[in-house]
Amino acid sequence: MSAQEERAPRKDARINRDRILETARELIEKEPDISLNAIAKAAGVGPGTLYRHFPNREALVLALYQHEIDNLVGLASSLLLRNPPLEAMRLWMERLAKYGRMKRGVANLLHAAITNDIHNSSYSQMVGAIEALLGAVHADASITGADLLLLLGFLWRLPPGPDGKARGERLLAFTLDGLASQA
Amino acid sequence: MSAQEERAPRKDARINRDRILETARELIEKEPDISLNAIAKAAGVGPGTLYRHFPNREALVLALYQHEIDNLVGLASSLLLRNPPLEAMRLWMERLAKYGRMKRGVANLLHAAITNDIHNSSYSQMVGAIEALLGAVHADASITGADLLLLLGFLWRLPPGPDGKARGERLLAFTLDGLASQA
DNA sequence: TGGTCAAGCGGAGAACTCTCCGCATAAGTA
DNA sequence: TACTTATGCGGAGAGTTCTCCGCTTGACCA
């Protein structure tokens, strides 16, 4: 039972958090490898404050891209409304691939979300979206949503450039064929 | 043309390299996250020396496991001699999975070899082994050896424990089904 | 409005990775 | 053997990640 009452955060804490995020967005855009200390300084807070809000670089980047993850998650259900299941799956994966290619940030953050902290909410959202797609394709899949997300990890480890794109497309086609043949 | 004569390394350099490797093998066994400085100190060399021989942690771990990579590469051809292609492929992948599970080192190092340095010899050896297996399964595969190695990356990103093992087995079966249905 | 106290802050500092460069020395040369 | 030189060595130190803890302050209550 014991529903632990999470007291709302203090206002200054919220302000600091927002300032850090805003500053980080600008600085990381310019220079992806900028140090967290430098971000803290630019945001006008101490390093301790930054690290309290975001325990490591990945957590910070994750927060930066939370919005885009939300989009991706929402996309799954809307694709399912308008398309046959396999087609929805294909379209969704292509969008995922696009994120993986464009923003290496999304890439690493998803990997981090997957590996570091299994109770991470972004991770469960993503798994949920995939489960929905997978369930539409066939009710009793041999692999789970989490399995598939892990498998799709290749999308954010592709080398940059047209070569990487081609490899991503081949592997995606391979994966979809596998899913289709199970249906 | 210009075949640049690589002069043989100095004897003391070779000795130091070996001492570092030997020390690293012992220390990393006990404590995987031990600092490179600590390894250098234990090996009786300065940090600079360690970093000259191995530019970063991954390069060092890669050197430690070079022997096991050689084994894996050799295994591919001997499996092909004794088994039908698909079975050889299956057995080889299972061995790969075992390495991935047992030694997280092999894991990360392979990832590093794949992503960082495309001209890395361990990487090309592995791709070669996979090409051989793939070629035996079907002459005109839609995916390349490098593609498949990238796909198999899930093997060294599995969570530890029985849960991870089960997931690995499911994904491996999925992958093999896909390869088989292309044959 | 003043008092209480937990939430939150900042920065000193520990530990680490990796680089740079002056010095030592192994390996060729005469 | 004595000389030369470029290969390799070591460690100081710059830059980074992340932690710890004493101090500050916002939020709630009387």
Side-chain angles (χ1 to χ4, degrees), chain A residues 128-159:
Chain A
I130 296 178
E131 299 266 339
L133 292 160
L134 211 47
V137 173
H138 39 61
D140 54 341
S142 67
I143 63 175
T144 69
D147 291 350
L148 189 50
L149 181 52
L150 184 63
L151 186 69
L152 289 173
F154 68 78
L155 286 175
W156 35 94
R157 270 179 295 280
L158 292 168

Side-chain angles (χ1 to χ4, degrees), chain B residues 10 16 45-46 48-49 52:
Chain B
R10 258 165 59 169
N16 273 327
V45 301
T49 299
R52 192 165 344 88

Side-chain angles (χ1 to χ4, degrees), chain B residues 84-99:
Chain B
L86 255 175
E87 180 66 5
M89 176 76 91
R90 191 180 66 77
L91 291 170
W92 190 82
M93 284 188 184
E94 277 171 10
R95 179 71 152 267
L96 181 61
K98 198 171 161 189
Y99 275 113

Side-chain angles (χ1 to χ4, degrees), chain A residues 7 23 25 44 50 55 64 67 69 72-73 86 91 93 116 119 125 158 164 173 182:
Chain A
R7 191 199 284 231
T23 310
R25 199 180 302 275
L50 187 150
L64 285 181
H67 182 64
I69 290 182
L72 210 46
V73 169
L86 255 175
L91 291 170
M93 285 189 183
N116 289 349
H119 295 299
Q125 285 175 284
L158 292 168
Q182 283 193 349

Side-chain angles (χ1 to χ4, degrees), chain B residues 103-125:
Chain B
K103 308 261 181 186
R104 199 132 299 244
V106 182
N108 299 328
L109 80 80
L110 269 177
H111 181 203
I114 290 164
T115 52
N116 289 350
D117 178 4
I118 217 64
H119 296 299
N120 180 293
S121 92
S122 303
Y123 174 75
S124 8
Q125 284 176 284

Side-chain angles (χ1 to χ4, degrees), chain A residues 9-10 13 16 45-46 48-49 52-53:
Chain A
R10 259 165 54 170
N16 274 327
V45 301
T49 299
R52 194 167 341 90
H53 287 292

Side-chain angles (χ1 to χ4, degrees), chain B residues 15-28:
Chain B
I15 290 173
N16 273 327
R17 188 175 191 282
D18 290 349
R19 273 244 299 282
I20 291 169
L21 278 175
E22 200 180 336
T23 310
R25 199 180 301 276
E26 289 167 20
L27 295 189
I28 289 182

Side-chain angles (χ1 to χ4, degrees), chain A residues 1-14:
Chain A
M1 300 293 133
S2 74
Q4 63 242 41
E5 288 285 336
E6 290 279 340
R7 191 199 284 231
R10 259 165 54 170
K11 198 184 359 176
D12 55 347
R14 214 181 47 70

